[in-house]
Amino acid sequence: MLTTLLKFSLGLTYKEHLKSNPLYNNITCRNKVNFGMNDDIFATSRNGHLLKDTFDKKNNSLDIYSSGLYPANVLSNLAKKPFVFDGVECASIEGFLQSLKTKDIDEQKKICAMHGGSAKKASKKLTDWKDTQKLYWLGKEYDRNSEEYQELLTEAFFQCYMQNEVFRTALDSTKGIKLTHKSGKNDKASTILTADEFTGILTLIRDRENQ
């Protein structure tokens, strides 16, 4: 019902619109992706709401969004995509990122095991880093504005890319496409990962591994 009611400015139904999206309809990805995940990553709706098509054909860009159509949903840090980093089991990139706000290694590991809103909620009260601009990973302190911190972030994303086929396939499918994250922030002092850092790291890994 939802797919027939929604109309676009071009007069296309939602299903017809999807057919014009090369990323969503990437047959190679559909055949390659491991469907052992809890959610259907190719779903077109969630909880009665249509997922947003964030591929901009005119500008050849994809906006990464957790409630977007594949591959935007999988590329979201909130998405569940398990990997192991420095011996710590991470359920998502978001879990890893939010864990950096605490010095407590046991607490870090608990947050790393989370994904989606649960990971963000778990670190909601961990705000001291905004005053100190210091973040932590397994007992080591990192200056928010340091090159060393950027290297830590890049390596975490790279390990997820190498270990998680679903994430790797989704990122590789965007080769040649500009990645954006419009819902993200770009003030380093108030966020552990800016929108530009996020899309920059993904683009770096994708282009480096697909030369």
Side-chain angles (χ1 to χ4, degrees), residues 61-62 64 75 171 174 177-181 199 202-203 206:
S61 65
L62 178 74
I64 299 171
L75 297 182
L171 183 57
T174 68
I177 294 172
K178 180 181 179 181
L179 300 176
T180 64
H181 186 48
T199 57
L202 291 185
T203 301
R206 179 196 66 189

Side-chain angles (χ1 to χ4, degrees), residues 39-147:
D39 301 319
D40 181 0
I41 60 174
F42 292 107
T44 57
S45 65
R46 184 188 302 151
N47 299 323
H49 298 284
L50 290 172
L51 298 183
K52 186 178 180 182
D53 182 0
T54 61
F55 176 62
D56 184 338
K57 189 174 182 179
K58 180 179 179 181
N59 295 306
N60 195 38
S61 65
L62 178 74
D63 186 44
I64 299 171
Y65 184 49
S66 61
S67 292
L69 292 172
Y70 181 87
N73 55 348
V74 173
L75 297 182
S76 167
N77 290 330
L78 296 171
K80 185 176 182 181
K81 37 182 182 271
F83 68 104
V84 177
F85 185 51
D86 286 343
V88 178
E89 294 185 2
C90 302
S92 67
I93 289 290
E94 190 67 32
F96 165 73
L97 292 173
Q98 296 302 329
S99 78
L100 301 177
K101 296 178 180 179
T102 178
K103 292 181 181 179
D104 189 313
I105 295 177
D106 289 334
E107 186 176 18
Q108 276 194 328
K109 291 180 178 179
K110 289 180 181 178
I111 298 175
C112 279
M114 302 177 183
H115 70 281
S118 296
K120 298 191 75 169
K121 185 177 180 181
S123 66
K124 193 172 183 180
K125 295 181 179 180
L126 302 174
T127 59
D128 289 350
W129 77 272
K130 290 185 178 181
D131 296 323
T132 63
Q133 291 298 293
K134 303 294 183 183
L135 293 150
Y136 309 88
W137 179 241
L138 299 183
K140 183 174 181 178
E141 182 180 277
Y142 292 83
D143 187 297
R144 171 65 181 87
N145 296 299
S146 68
E147 185 63 32

Side-chain angles (χ1 to χ4, degrees), residues 9-53:
S9 58
L10 294 177
L12 299 176
T13 66
Y14 190 64
K15 285 184 177 179
E16 289 170 337
H17 179 75
L18 290 181
K19 290 180 181 179
S20 68
N21 184 328
L23 291 176
Y24 180 77
N25 289 289
N26 190 315
I27 300 301
T28 301
C29 291
R30 287 174 175 267
N31 290 336
K32 188 176 181 181
V33 162
N34 176 7
F35 283 93
M37 301 178 71
N38 293 330
D39 301 319
D40 181 0
I41 60 174
F42 292 107
T44 57
S45 65
R46 184 188 302 151
N47 299 323
H49 298 284
L50 290 172
L51 298 183
K52 186 178 180 182
D53 182 0

